[in-house]
Amino acid sequence: MVVARLTGAGWSLAARDSDIFAANPSLAQKLRSAKFVVASTAYNVRYLSGRVPRRERAAIHLNYEGLDPSRYDFEPRVEPAGEPGEFRILAVGRLVETKGYPFLLDAIRQLKERGYAPRLKIIGEGPLRRDLQKLAAAYEIEDDVRLAGEATHARVKREMRRADCLVAPCIVARNGDRDSAPGVISEAMALGLPVVASGVSGIPEFVVDGETGFLVRPGDGAEIADAVERLLSPVFDRLTMVERARAHVEKNFSVAKTTAALLELFDSESGKISREQKESPVHS
């Protein structure tokens, strides 16, 4: 925006997560001065559209963050890998408020009370590590929960292969911040790993409840436990769900499709800028 102001060039804006939802005093100014804006979910498009009246701001376009399905071999496992009643649950993301991990720990506690043997691994690091360790101890599940720290993308994919389901228990933080739609959700869907996620922000655009995964209310440990229990029941048709999830990713979130749409948008806007420059009077 600063360079555009100094040179007269056009500029564009891609906004997501804390750019949108946390305190951002310059956001409205950016929406007014950009040539166009790109948002990574339809939810974010609607949210941004309400910040500035349409006649005063740039057009806001939906462009999902894509992935390359060819790099994610679809290898679903029909039944849980462990002993009867043992669930290998994976969560991936920073140890921060928006991820909602305390409610996932509550779900693990409830699953144990129901007679199951859940094993939770959380990949990620952050300021809430000590708080989560204390909560696991208070719930008496410290032996069932592993805070595995940071990991490479390759290791995350390996852990997804070993897990029985991915849980993304996201919430809206006290300062209003929230996840748009964690990328690990579409990655898990591409690999054939079932997903349980909170219906926050743009997540329902990826996880269609009962079809490509299960949605739960944010901040509800009991609903998370219910969804995991249902998902990993021997009578539930996991294969049909993960096949639908993979098809949903290929149809809507392929990087070839999202990149082509973004390039078309740049080409279109560049043409407009060129025409505007040609039509503008030249001053010496």
Side-chain angles (χ1 to χ4, degrees):
M1 181 172 67
V2 173
V3 172
R5 188 175 298 166
L6 292 173
T7 65
W11 77 289
S12 60
L13 168 67
R16 65 188 300 274
D17 296 355
S18 58
D19 297 330
I20 303 172
F21 303 115
N24 189 343
S26 66
L27 180 59
Q29 180 184 5
K30 291 171 182 174
L31 294 176
R32 288 184 171 95
S33 66
K35 288 295 183 181
F36 66 92
V37 178
V38 169
S40 59
T41 66
Y43 178 95
N44 288 357
V45 171
R46 293 190 298 271
Y47 188 93
L48 287 169
S49 297
R51 295 294 301 269
V52 177
R54 175 67 186 90
R55 64 184 181 277
E56 298 178 14
R57 60 167 170 79
I60 302 173
H61 302 272
L62 170 63
N63 189 264
Y64 287 112
E65 294 182 1
L67 56 76
D68 183 354
S70 68
R71 299 182 63 183
Y72 295 82
D73 294 334
F74 184 66
E75 298 176 355
R77 190 170 54 244
V78 177
E79 298 179 354
E83 299 295 324
E86 182 179 307
F87 303 155
R88 299 179 183 179
I89 301 168
L90 180 67
V92 182
R94 296 167 299 137
L95 308 185
V96 294
E97 185 182 3
T98 56
K99 299 301 181 182
Y101 290 140
F103 305 103
L104 179 53
L105 296 187
D106 183 39
I108 298 300
R109 176 187 64 82
Q110 294 191 46
L111 286 168
K112 286 200 69 175
E113 290 177 350
R114 299 177 191 182
Y116 297 105
R119 300 288 182 265
L120 171 63
K121 181 178 290 186
I122 301 177
I123 296 178
E125 195 53 81
L128 297 185
R129 167 178 280 272
R130 183 169 296 181
D131 291 342
L132 293 174
Q133 290 172 331
K134 291 179 179 178
L135 186 60
Y139 285 158
E140 299 182 348
I141 57 171
E142 58 264 52
D143 294 335
D144 309 296
V145 175
R146 181 184 172 194
L147 302 181
E150 296 178 343
T152 63
H153 185 248
R155 183 186 159 202
V156 170
K157 289 174 71 174
R158 289 196 298 270
E159 293 293 348
M160 286 184 175
R161 296 286 188 204
R162 302 184 182 111
D164 294 313
C165 70
L166 176 87
V167 179
C170 305
I171 64 169
V172 177
R174 285 165 289 186
N175 68 351
D177 195 12
R178 68 205 75 173
D179 283 327
S180 297
V184 292
I185 291 178
S186 54
E187 292 184 1
M189 292 166 64
L191 289 169
L193 180 63
V195 175
V196 174
S198 301
V200 167
S201 191
I203 291 176
E205 297 167 47
F206 294 76
V207 182
V208 182
D209 189 35
E211 294 192 21
T212 67
F214 284 129
L215 288 177
V216 298
R217 286 182 298 181
D220 194 323
E223 280 205 12
I224 297 172
D226 290 344
V228 170
E229 183 177 18
R230 181 183 175 193
L231 184 64
L232 300 178
S233 166
V235 300
F236 183 74
D237 186 1
R238 289 157 51 94
L239 182 58
T240 296
M241 175 172 279
V242 295
E243 285 176 341
R244 288 172 177 164
R246 171 73 184 209
H248 188 50
V249 168
E250 291 180 347
K251 179 181 179 181
N252 298 292
F253 312 120
S254 167
V255 70
K257 180 177 181 178
T258 59
T259 302
L262 189 59
L263 288 173
E264 183 178 346
L265 182 58
F266 273 108
D267 288 341
S268 173
E269 292 297 329
S270 295
K272 290 179 183 178
I273 292 171
S274 296
R275 288 192 297 273
E276 289 172 0
Q277 291 173 338
K278 289 179 181 180
E279 294 169 359
S280 297
V282 177
H283 299 281
S284 58

